[in-house]
Amino acid sequence: MIQAPLSAVDDEAGDFLRWLESEPADEVVDDLEGLRTRLGELPCGSGLADEVLRCCLEGGAARGLDISSRIRAQLQEASLPLPPVLHRASIDISATLAEMARRLESLQSAAAPDLRAWKDGRRLGLVLCCEAFVVAAMSAANAPPGLWALANRVAAELEGDASYFTMAAIAAASPESLTARQLAWIADFLGSGLPELQLQAEGESLVGAWWIVLGTDTAPVSVARGLAPAGGDVRHFSLVPLARVLGEHVEHLETVIAAAENTGDTLEVELLDAGDEELPPGLTPVELLALLRTLRERWVSSPLRIQPRRPQHYAIQVCLGLRGLWELGRGRSEGGRVLEWQVLNESPGGYAIMSITETGAGTGRPAEIVAGIVLGVRRQADEAWAVCVVRWVRSEASGRIELGLQMLAPSYHAVQVAFRGATLRGVVPALALPAMEPMRRHPAFLAPAGTYASRRFVFVREGARVYVAQGRALGLDMQTASVELFRYEIDPYPI
C-alpha cells in the first residue's frame, strides 16, 4: 500500500488512514459500519490527490476483504433464512466492495499512471468484484447492481485475470443451486490456481463456450442457452480446461473413497486432507465427490429447463427434510413438521415456492434449508406427499426464501435400507419412490448421501405386514450434499 504522510492529506482522508491503522472492531458489523461511513466521507473526483486517494482505496480494500472473510465464515454456519443482522451485513459488504472497485477503476482511468500501476489497480478491482459476488451468492442474493458491467469491462482490458475467471466459473456453476459451504470451497479451490483461460473475440465453436457482452450488466451466458447477439462487443471463453482438472481430482477421489470403504475407515475431512493435498479442506469426501461431478458437468454444458413454468398463486403444505418425510411415512404426528408456503409457478416437473411463515416454527430449532435437500409438498391434508429436491435457493429479503423444486415422485413409502459390505452406515432411513415415466422407468430409493455402496442391498418396509427384500441397484441417478437417488429392481437371486 502506498504510504502518505497524514500531514499532507485532507481531514477526511486523514481520518480514514488513521482508522485503517487501528485494530479491527470485535464485532464485524461495527467494523463494516466504520468502513462504509469513512468511505462515504472520502471526496470523489479531484477532491483528493491521486496518490492519497489510491492509498485510502488500497487500505480500504484490504480492510474490506478482511471483513468479508469474517462474514463468509458466519454464512457457512448459518441456515436460511439468514438472521436479519447477517443478511444486512452480507448485502452491505458486497455493495461496499463493489463501490471500492468502481472508485479504483475511475481513479486509474483519470490518473493515467504507469502501465504496472494501471494493471495493479485493475486487478485489485477485480479481486473486490469477485469477493462481492461470492458473498452475495453465499447469502442467496443477487450480485450488486452494476457489478458484472464493471467486471466485464475491466476483464476485457486484462489478459486472463484469475479473479474474473473465478467469478465467471462460479456464475457458470449456477450458485443458487449450491450451499454456502460449497461456494466457499469452490472459491478457495479456484483461488489456489487456474489453468490458462482467455477472453476471445471469436469462440462460439469452442467446446463448452460461454459469452459476455461488454457494457452489459449480465453474467456469462452458455452457448447452449443461446447464441451471442450479432453486432455487440462480445467476448467468448471456455471452461473445459478447468473441467479437465476436475476430472483428474474426481478419479483420484474415487480411488481414495473406495480404499477407505474396503478398509472400513470413516470418510471424514481428515481423510481428504491425507488423500489429496491439492484440494482445500472443508467438505467430506462424499460431499466433495458429488460437488466435483456437478461442477465438471456444468462447466462443460449448462443445464437447460425443458418444461416452461406457469405463474400460479396458491397455498401449499411443505415438510422439510428426508428425515421429516420418513417419520411422517411411519405414522408420526404432523405437529411441528408441516409448514405453509406459497406457490409462485409450476410445471409438470416442479415448482417455485416462497415461504410465508417463520421457517421451522414449532420444531424448536430453525430448519436448515439449502440446495440439495429433500422436501415434500401437497395442496391439502388428504393428498399424498409429492417428493421434491431443492434445485435452487434465493433469499433477497430478510426472512423470506424462494425455492426451485424438481419433483422426484408423486408419492413415497418409508423404508430402511442396508447395503452389503457397508459396515459404516448400517441400516439407514430411506424413501421408496415409484417409477415415474418417462423420467424414471424403475422404482428408486432416496437415501442420505453416502448410502449407496454396492450393487446389492436389503430393504425393510413396515406396515400392516413387515416386507423384507433384497434389491439390486441399477445406478446412481442423483447425488447432492444431502441425499442420493438410485434406481433398483428386486433381485431374483438373493444371496
Side-chain angles (χ1 to χ4, degrees):
M1 185 177 72
I2 300 172
Q3 297 296 323
L6 295 180
S7 60
V9 301
D10 291 348
D11 291 341
E12 294 85 353
D15 181 58
F16 196 178
L17 293 173
R18 279 186 290 269
W19 180 79
L20 290 173
E21 292 175 354
S22 65
E23 289 294 323
D26 293 335
E27 295 295 333
V28 67
V29 291
D30 295 336
D31 220 21
L32 174 57
E33 182 60 29
L35 177 60
R36 286 168 51 81
T37 299
R38 287 160 178 82
L39 182 65
E41 293 173 350
L42 280 181
C44 298
S46 58
L48 287 177
D50 295 332
E51 294 300 309
V52 173
L53 183 54
R54 186 178 300 114
C55 178
C56 292
L57 291 176
E58 289 178 356
R63 180 64 68 90
L65 292 173
D66 176 71
I67 293 171
S68 182
S69 69
R70 295 161 66 187
I71 292 176
R72 280 174 55 176
Q74 295 183 27
L75 290 173
Q76 291 186 65
E77 300 299 326
S79 60
L80 294 173
L82 295 175
V85 173
L86 183 55
H87 181 269
R88 184 72 258 167
S90 62
I91 292 177
D92 287 346
I93 189 59
S94 294
T96 301
L97 295 173
E99 173 61 23
M100 286 191 290
R102 279 189 286 268
R103 289 212 190 184
L104 277 168
E105 186 206 24
S106 175
L107 171 68
Q108 297 292 335
S109 298
D114 62 80
L115 182 60
R116 181 174 180 178
W118 182 84
K119 285 189 175 181
D120 288 347
R122 289 289 196 274
R123 294 194 188 282
L124 178 56
L126 285 178
V127 169
L128 297 174
C129 288
C130 181
E131 184 67 15
F133 178 70
V134 170
V135 173
M138 289 179 64
S139 59
N142 290 328
L147 185 71
W148 278 106
L150 172 62
N152 292 340
R153 183 170 63 247
V154 175
E157 301 173 340
L158 302 174
E159 295 182 0
D161 183 82
S163 295
Y164 178 78
F165 281 113
T166 294
M167 189 175 171
I170 294 176
S174 301
E176 66 276 7
S177 67
L178 302 170
T179 68
R181 288 176 62 239
Q182 290 174 326
L183 288 166
W185 187 94
I186 296 170
D188 291 341
F189 170 70
L190 296 175
S192 64
L194 294 173
E196 186 175 350
L197 301 172
Q198 297 289 335
L199 291 176
Q200 303 177 23
E202 300 291 337
E204 289 189 349
S205 61
L206 294 172
V207 177
W210 296 75
W211 54 266
I212 61 172
V213 179
L214 303 184
T216 61
D217 190 29
T218 55
V221 180
S222 170
V223 295
R225 293 189 171 185
L227 298 178
D233 194 358
V234 181
R235 296 292 185 274
H236 304 264
F237 64 92
S238 173
L239 295 174
V240 169
L242 191 52
R244 292 196 188 103
V245 173
L246 288 189
E248 298 172 359
H249 288 299
V250 167
E251 293 178 2
H252 177 77
L253 200 53
E254 287 174 339
T255 302
V256 170
I257 291 176
E261 290 175 343
N262 291 335
T263 59
D265 292 335
T266 56
L267 301 181
E268 301 297 339
V269 176
E270 290 76 15
L271 174 62
L272 175 60
D273 296 340
D276 195 338
E277 293 79 6
E278 295 183 6
L279 296 176
L283 298 177
T284 66
V286 172
E287 290 176 319
L288 184 53
L289 184 58
L291 176 60
L292 293 182
R293 287 170 173 165
T294 298
L295 293 177
R296 181 177 57 178
E297 178 180 347
R298 291 180 182 177
W299 284 342
V300 173
S301 178
S302 179
L304 301 177
R305 175 173 294 172
I306 300 175
Q307 299 170 321
R309 291 189 171 178
R310 301 179 301 275
Q312 295 287 358
H313 187 77
Y314 60 86
I316 196 168
Q317 293 182 346
V318 172
C319 176
L320 296 171
L322 186 150
R323 185 80 188 191
L325 284 173
W326 184 77
E327 291 179 349
L328 290 183
R330 289 169 61 87
R332 299 288 181 85
S333 169
E334 294 184 357
R337 293 184 173 90
V338 179
L339 306 172
E340 186 171 295
W341 287 52
Q342 183 76 43
V343 171
L344 302 177
N345 59 60
E346 66 178 347
S347 74
Y351 304 85
I353 64 175
M354 181 180 70
S355 63
I356 58 176
T357 58
E358 182 67 22
T359 308
T363 63
R365 60 177 178 82
E368 183 179 6
I369 301 179
V370 294
I373 68 167
V374 168
L375 52 77
V377 297
R378 67 184 184 187
R379 294 194 67 166
Q380 51 194 27
D382 59 350
E383 294 183 353
W385 288 102
V387 181
C388 301
V389 63
V390 176
R391 284 303 186 192
W392 54 259
V393 182
R394 299 192 184 107
S395 182
E396 289 299 320
S398 177
R400 284 288 180 266
I401 306 178
E402 293 182 22
L403 304 179
L405 308 181
Q406 176 188 342
M407 183 182 292
L408 300 179
S411 61
Y412 75 95
H413 293 288
V415 298
Q416 298 180 74
V417 300
F419 275 83
R420 291 187 178 275
T423 58
L424 300 179
R425 300 298 296 270
V427 178
V428 298
L431 308 183
L433 309 181
M436 194 168 75
E437 299 278 3
M439 182 180 74
R440 189 177 61 247
R441 296 184 177 181
H442 290 85
F445 284 119
L446 191 63
T451 300
Y452 184 98
S454 61
R455 291 275 290 174
R456 284 185 168 87
F457 62 93
V458 175
F459 67 95
V460 180
R461 176 181 167 186
E462 300 177 5
R465 295 181 178 181
V466 176
Y467 177 75
V468 181
Q470 178 170 293
R472 183 168 60 186
L474 301 178
L476 192 62
D477 283 11
M478 181 194 73
Q479 188 177 44
T480 72
S482 303
V483 298
E484 58 192 26
L485 183 147
F486 54 92
R487 291 169 293 112
Y488 77 97
E489 62 184 5
I490 299 297
D491 195 340
Y493 306 105
I495 57 175

